[in-house]
Amino acid sequence: MTDNLATAKQILLAPAGLDEHHLAQVMERLAGHGIDTADLYFQLSRLESWVLDDGIVKEGNFTLEQGAGLRAISGEKTGFAYTEEISLENLLEAAASARAIARAGQSDRIAVGEAGKLDPLYRPDDPIPSLADDAKIELLRRLDATARAADPRVKQVTASLVAAHEVVLVLDEQGRLAADVRPLVRCNVAVIVEQKGRREQGSAGGGGRTTLEFFLEEERALGYAREAVRQALVNLEAVETPAGPMTVVLGPGWPGILLHEAVGHGLEGDFNRKGLSAFSGRIGEQVASPLCTVVDDGSLPGRRGSLTVDDEGTPTGETVLIEKGILRGYMQDRFNARLMGVAPTGNGRRESYAHLPMPRMTNTYLLGGDHDPQEIIASVEKGLFAVNFAGGQVDITSGKFVFSLSEAYLIEKGKVGAPVKGATLIGNGPEVMTRVSLVGDDLALDPGVGTCGKDGQSVPVGVGQPTLKVDEITVGGTAL
Amino acid sequence: MNIGQLEERVADLLAEARRQGADAADAAVSSSAGLSVTVRLGEVETIEHHRDQGLGVTVYFGRRKGSASTTDLSPAALKEAVARACAIARYTSEDPCAGLADPELLARDWPDLDLHHPWEITPEQAIDIARTCEQAALDFDPRVSNSEGATLNTVEGSFVYGNSHGFLGGYPTTRHTLSCVVMAQEGDSMQRDWWYDSRRAAEELATPEAIGRRAGERAVARLGARKLGTCEAPVIFRADVAPGLLRSLVGAIRGHAQYRESSFLLGALGQSIFPDWVRIHEDPLLPRGLASAPFDNEGVATRPRDFVRDGVLHSYVLDSYSACKLEMQTTGNAGGVRNLAIESSGQGLEELLKQMDRGLLVTELMGQGVNPVTGDYSRGAAGFWVENGAIQHPVEEITIAGNLRQMYQDLVAVGSDSDIPGSVRTGSWLIEKMTIAGN
């Protein structure tokens, strides 16, 4: 077992000459009388990215971000301050600013110790040097060549390769110290194809909490290049999308973004504590068809949305959100869990030390059912088969969500027909889930491409689902 | 850090780049400090003290480039950032267009754009303002039943850019924002809406009461929304959602989209893309403007510019790189357009509703359904159904679809109701016809 805590101390504390005694001193200033919970969050993240565009490796960038965020909570009040320069002096100053939300009082002595050992869900190796720089360039060139060789109609290729390494250390008000060392890699290929003056785009990619070698295994990245071309060529043939309500079959994997938007955000603890979600106060109620069981699981090994511990030091795990259609629970961080009188679920996440944590999804998916996907399509007289999505958005209060299709086909008399142009699906989260009438046996998780935004903070997430039939969703097309 | 200290850092970075063998380099360093306070249901929810800093450096070895950025401004980190950028430049490709901006085009002196108005405000004062704002929303109507809170945010920052052509310039800025998000409820219908104002100088901010009332008014107006039948109808994009239509235009006429042939307005320079009364322009030198800047991200002097005149596309949006690819000259738009505006055709929103007679007034758009390559447009929407020139009832859970190229041609009028804070100024747009999908 690797020792994340030792690594984190060495990387985050040692350069500033800090040890546990100094952390105790800062926490004693931050917490104490009038403060219910508090934490210190140290982070160092390094990211390297390369972009090939227009046939040449045009851009390379290296980014280093580091700092410490200090939070003190009194009742429902949160005080927050952070510093980019990690030093005892700056930490003490930030602690005084953050704790000013509560009246000053005497501090308790705090003993700092490890929160408890956990098996990491991914190797701590830094993915940035996991391939030599010339091998990274070679990979990008092969992606370009593969895409262009796939079809003469390919006019433009953009390929990118990103490797990031993040080390975090969290200390809570009770002196518990937790650490995580998180690799993250991502590769993407986007193409533009042209035929008789008509241009269309296609894009594909993947990644996870691993090293860059992942993209070489089984020629995985070359598969992204071919997939991007295939999608773009499909779109060259696309006809106008019909407008209005219709039966929609959602393909497996990435279309799980429907769940993320339609129910996921509405089940985050903060919205529900404040009574702002269309799902507020509905635990135990039927909110989806009995065929639907939806979980959030941050403990899947190596997944983009996975975390050994969340950004508050809580170990991640599987949280059942909806079980056979019944709403079972919300995703929680420490703050909202405490105020709602439940246990934190390992969903406390933050974009960086300069942002406050909040309840966020990790990997959210709907469990497989028992129908053959072919049967599901065959059951549709007239409808839409939605295979790929460009992204979505939700208004958690009204429950309205939308998402944009990047690859979809008409279904006529049980058969997949002509591809249709990018359309939008719009629905009401709690309503649409009650209209799931068939669930396939082909559960798949997305290839590791998702990023979720909330309150201006971006975090990597995963989604997944089997093939699903939804009896009616409004399709926003142009054809009447 | 003050401008002088930031200038020293930039000079150090450029000197370090030269020492490490770079033929040319540019660097930007910024630092900011701020306070953000949120009050929810009358109680303090968060008090955040912000202090950010960062630097970015790009080095050129001949026509190959590499970049690095960091939040650590220590001398060791500066050296490390330059080393990283240089290491990357060993592997990027020779690119004939890579390089700094033409020295002839760099800003030499520039006006004070009046962008710096620090607000000496204590957390207690900020809390009072946020509380007043939220209370005005809650008091607007008993149906305003819940709140995500009111937030006062104030930030003061400084920025310096320099390059190895000898350019070194920077300036301090401030920005103060007050926003409020509330929920209205009636029966089963829950609706959320918001309002805000954002200014360089605090005394120009709308009053907390006005912002709160408007948030409350907007949320209540949405109550009882229903779906619409699928149909074709004229559509008004209200002034607060219309800027997206201008941003899509900017995306399509950016040099980057043009040389990569990934624009729905490919090669449209000199073509009539709007009705002939339309003028779209930017004014980067607008005093106190939220997007004002005397020079662009490459140090090139900015100046007012028409992008669309008499309905004809008059200029692309270019930086040095895309200008080189297109064999043109930069328009000083590295980093984007600044204070973009479309001229009104003179009508207020009431007149636009009358002119439309029967159709959809869109007040919210959702989702990313805009295809930059084809111009295909299909987005989730909410708003109001209009008949006989008057609002009938709120609508939701519908989509509107069309193609941007056609939508621009179908622009009937632009309202004079441009009271929206922000870097894009436009009134409401009346578009002749779109497809609405509902039930």
Side-chain angles (χ1 to χ4, degrees):
Chain A
M1 201 168 88
T2 52
D3 192 345
N4 281 343
L5 188 57
T7 306
K9 282 187 199 164
Q10 192 204 336
I11 287 176
L12 294 164
L13 303 182
L18 297 174
D19 61 24
E20 274 101 338
H21 299 290
H22 297 114
L23 296 191
Q25 194 185 336
V26 176
M27 184 52 85
E28 281 159 16
R29 166 92 55 110
L30 182 66
H33 185 74
I35 298 293
D36 298 309
T37 60
D39 56 13
L40 261 73
Y41 179 86
F42 295 87
Q43 177 195 27
L44 182 129
S45 55
R46 298 153 63 253
L47 179 145
E48 184 192 75
S49 64
W50 298 91
V51 180
L52 177 147
D53 184 48
D54 216 12
I56 59 173
V57 179
K58 218 174 248 189
E59 314 252 347
N61 189 55
F62 178 85
T63 303
L64 183 146
E65 287 184 23
Q66 66 170 343
L70 292 82
R71 176 173 65 145
I73 296 172
S74 172
E76 297 189 26
K77 298 185 182 68
T78 300
F80 179 57
Y82 56 89
T83 174
E84 263 110 14
E85 285 162 52
I86 298 176
S87 68
L88 184 61
E89 189 192 344
N90 285 348
L91 291 171
L92 289 170
E93 191 192 319
S97 300
R99 79 109 51 226
I101 48 140
R103 263 180 279 282
Q106 74 187 68
S107 298
D108 301 325
R109 301 292 293 175
I110 285 162
V112 172
E114 189 171 359
K117 282 227 183 290
L118 282 174
D119 282 325
L121 298 169
Y122 24 80
R123 293 182 53 80
D125 310 2
D126 180 358
I128 296 174
S130 63
L131 276 186
D133 286 338
D134 45 9
K136 295 171 192 165
I137 303 308
E138 174 61 22
L139 174 59
L140 289 171
R141 291 193 194 287
R142 282 177 70 202
L143 293 174
D144 183 58
T146 303
R148 288 177 193 275
D151 196 284
R153 289 169 286 180
V154 173
K155 293 294 167 208
Q156 191 58 267
V157 180
T158 307
S160 62
L161 193 62
V162 180
H165 196 232
E166 179 181 76
V167 180
V168 304
L169 180 70
V170 197
L171 175 72
D172 72 10
E173 74 287 348
Q174 292 169 36
R176 290 179 300 208
L177 204 50
D180 201 1
V181 179
R182 303 166 178 165
L184 189 65
V185 297
R186 175 92 162 80
C187 175
N188 203 73
V189 182
V191 303
I192 290 177
V193 295
E194 186 182 333
Q195 173 176 279
K196 294 180 202 142
R198 178 171 174 181
R199 276 179 307 278
E200 292 285 351
Q201 54 185 352
S203 151
R209 297 208 179 272
T210 178
T211 61
L212 291 168
E213 285 146 328
F214 175 76
F215 298 119
L216 301 181
E217 293 159 9
E218 300 160 12
E219 298 207 322
R220 195 169 269 128
L222 301 187
Y224 303 151
R226 294 185 194 109
E227 170 60 16
V229 174
R230 186 196 62 76
Q231 263 184 41
L233 294 178
V234 166
N235 285 330
L236 276 180
E237 310 298 329
V239 299
E240 285 196 59
T241 310
M246 86 188 69
T247 300
V248 176
V249 176
L250 301 157
W254 177 239
I257 190 171
L258 173 122
L259 302 167
H260 178 102
E261 303 297 349
V263 298
H265 281 295
L267 299 178
E268 289 166 340
D270 46 354
F271 297 131
N272 288 285
R273 174 177 66 80
K274 298 174 188 172
L276 296 168
S277 165
F279 290 99
S280 296
R282 298 187 62 186
I283 292 216
E285 287 182 30
Q286 184 94 33
V287 297
S289 119
L291 299 171
C292 297
T293 294
V294 181
V295 303
D296 182 86
D297 191 348
S299 67
L300 303 173
R303 284 277 157 191
R304 182 172 165 87
S306 297
L307 303 167
T308 303
V309 294
D310 72 4
D311 293 321
E312 300 181 301
T314 308
T316 56
E318 185 191 86
T319 305
V320 177
L321 304 173
I322 295 172
E323 186 181 15
K324 295 181 178 159
I326 309 287
L327 181 59
R328 288 296 178 210
Y330 302 124
M331 290 166 277
Q332 299 288 3
D333 61 357
R334 289 182 68 210
F335 173 59
N336 288 286
R338 182 177 59 81
L339 292 174
M340 291 179 80
V342 296
T345 54
N347 290 89
R349 304 185 64 182
R350 61 203 296 176
E351 181 179 301
S352 80
Y353 61 87
H355 299 86
L356 276 170
M358 54 186 157
R360 301 296 295 265
M361 286 174 261
T362 58
N363 304 296
T364 313
Y365 57 98
L366 191 142
L367 302 190
D370 48 16
H371 275 84
D372 179 345
Q374 296 306 320
E375 268 176 60
I376 295 179
I377 287 170
S379 76
V380 179
E381 182 56 26
K382 191 170 185 304
L384 202 67
F385 181 35
V387 180
N388 248 302
F389 294 96
Q393 189 187 337
V394 66
D395 176 332
I396 49 105
T397 300
S398 67
K400 302 292 174 279
F401 68 87
V402 295
F403 50 124
S404 308
L405 304 176
S406 58
E407 183 185 354
Y409 303 83
L410 295 170
I411 307 177
E412 274 161 351
K413 298 199 168 87
K415 295 212 161 46
V416 176
V420 293
K421 277 199 213 180
T424 293
L425 302 185
I426 187 159
N428 179 305
E431 236 170 69
V432 89
M433 295 305 291
T434 61
R435 299 198 190 126
V436 173
S437 60
L438 290 173
V439 176
D441 57 8
D442 55 343
L443 168 63
L445 297 181
D446 79 273
V449 295
T451 297
C452 169
K454 174 177 170 184
D455 273 358
Q457 293 195 42
S458 292
V459 296
V461 295
V463 297
Q465 67 174 35
T467 298
L468 289 185
K469 179 180 172 185
V470 183
D471 283 342
E472 186 183 296
I473 305 187
T474 299
V475 178
T478 44
L480 289 176
Chain B
M1 262 185 269
N2 62 35
I3 296 292
Q5 291 167 312
L6 295 179
E7 282 179 347
E8 272 174 42
R9 294 291 202 287
V10 170
D12 290 348
L13 277 163
L14 297 175
E16 182 61 31
R18 201 159 47 240
R19 211 160 19 246
Q20 295 193 28
D23 299 318
D26 68 357
V29 183
S30 64
S31 115
S32 69
L35 173 70
S36 176
V37 169
T38 299
V39 170
R40 177 172 175 264
L41 298 177
E43 299 290 331
V44 175
E45 186 165 75
T46 56
I47 301 176
E48 302 182 39
H49 300 269
H50 295 272
R51 218 165 58 175
D52 295 291
Q53 58 180 36
L55 70 84
V57 60
T58 299
V59 298
Y60 296 90
F61 288 78
R63 294 290 172 187
R64 288 176 293 121
K65 75 167 184 174
S67 323
S69 57
T70 173
T71 55
D72 183 351
L73 303 190
S74 67
L78 256 59
K79 214 174 221 170
E80 165 80 6
V82 172
R84 286 282 181 173
C86 291
I88 284 169
R90 290 177 54 206
Y91 291 95
T92 49
S93 310
E94 283 285 333
D95 184 344
C97 284
L100 301 176
D102 182 347
E104 298 293 308
L105 301 174
L106 298 176
R108 285 200 173 73
D109 44 58
W110 46 85
D112 175 1
L113 298 179
D114 199 22
L115 307 177
H116 186 238
H117 297 271
W119 194 1
E120 299 302 333
I121 186 171
T122 64
E124 290 70 27
Q125 291 167 321
I127 289 164
D128 281 344
I129 292 170
R131 190 176 275 143
T132 304
C133 180
E134 192 201 36
Q135 197 57 48
L138 294 170
D139 288 346
F140 173 77
D141 189 294
R143 289 169 291 178
V144 180
S145 57
N146 202 342
S147 169
E148 287 188 30
T151 300
L152 180 75
N153 184 68
T154 171
V155 59
E156 177 179 12
S158 299
F159 156 88
V160 169
Y161 169 83
N163 65 33
S164 56
H165 283 331
F167 181 91
L168 186 65
Y171 48 91
T173 59
T174 50
R175 183 165 181 159
H176 319 291
T177 306
L178 179 60
S179 61
C180 182
V181 187
V182 291
M183 212 180 88
Q185 188 160 14
E186 186 170 45
D188 281 348
S189 180
M190 288 208 300
Q191 297 287 348
R192 156 188 186 279
D193 215 323
W194 54 281
W195 194 244
Y196 83 110
D197 195 16
S198 187
R199 303 286 165 177
R200 294 291 188 189
E203 70 266 19
E204 289 191 353
L205 273 178
T207 64
E209 291 86 352
I211 294 168
R213 268 197 307 273
R214 189 130 172 210
E217 183 185 350
R218 284 162 57 104
V220 167
R222 298 169 65 136
L223 286 170
R226 5 177 173 143
K227 287 173 90 166
L228 276 180
T230 301
C231 64
E232 263 184 1
V235 171
I236 293 174
F237 288 73
R238 198 172 62 185
D240 51 328
V241 297
L245 297 167
L246 281 173
R247 288 196 195 94
S248 294
L249 171 74
V250 169
I253 63 172
R254 275 179 63 218
H256 183 79
Q258 291 290 330
Y259 82 75
R260 294 184 75 257
E261 304 196 337
S262 58
S263 163
F264 68 91
L265 291 174
L266 185 59
L269 196 63
Q271 291 177 16
S272 179
I273 57 171
F274 281 94
D276 61 10
W277 51 271
V278 172
R279 176 173 173 242
I280 296 169
H281 56 99
E282 69 164 345
D283 185 3
L285 304 176
L286 189 71
R288 295 194 176 188
L290 285 180
S292 295
F295 51 83
D296 76 357
N297 291 8
E298 301 179 300
V300 173
T302 55
R303 59 183 176 80
R305 174 179 302 274
D306 281 2
F307 292 109
V308 174
R309 189 189 298 158
D310 303 326
V312 173
L313 180 59
H314 191 71
S315 170
Y316 289 139
V317 173
L318 303 172
D319 57 11
S320 296
Y321 184 84
S322 59
C324 166
K325 297 292 278 189
L326 294 166
E327 299 179 344
M328 295 176 152
Q329 194 178 83
T330 177
T331 54
N333 287 109
V337 295
R338 296 175 175 83
N339 304 319
L340 191 70
I342 180 166
E343 266 182 23
S344 165
S345 52
Q347 305 92 321
L349 181 57
E350 294 294 313
E351 287 168 81
L352 286 186
L353 292 173
K354 288 200 173 69
Q355 194 173 346
M356 177 167 77
D357 186 49
R358 182 176 185 275
L360 179 67
L361 169 64
V362 172
T363 59
E364 186 188 32
L365 288 164
M366 287 177 80
Q368 296 87 345
V370 184
N371 184 327
V373 178
T374 61
D376 287 334
Y377 186 98
S378 173
R379 300 188 70 189
F384 300 88
W385 183 247
V386 175
E387 277 184 30
N388 302 320
I391 286 175
Q392 303 297 309
H393 59 81
V395 294
E396 64 179 1
E397 207 179 328
I398 54 169
T399 69
I400 53 172
N403 183 281
L404 281 168
R405 216 176 157 126
Q406 190 62 44
M407 288 158 64
Y408 292 158
Q409 293 286 0
D410 289 348
L411 180 60
V412 176
V414 173
S416 55
D417 53 333
S418 162
D419 67 337
I420 314 303
S423 54
V424 175
R425 283 171 302 133
T426 172
S428 301
W429 288 34
L430 170 56
I431 289 176
E432 196 178 321
K433 191 177 72 179
M434 292 186 73
T435 306
I436 299 167
N439 49 19

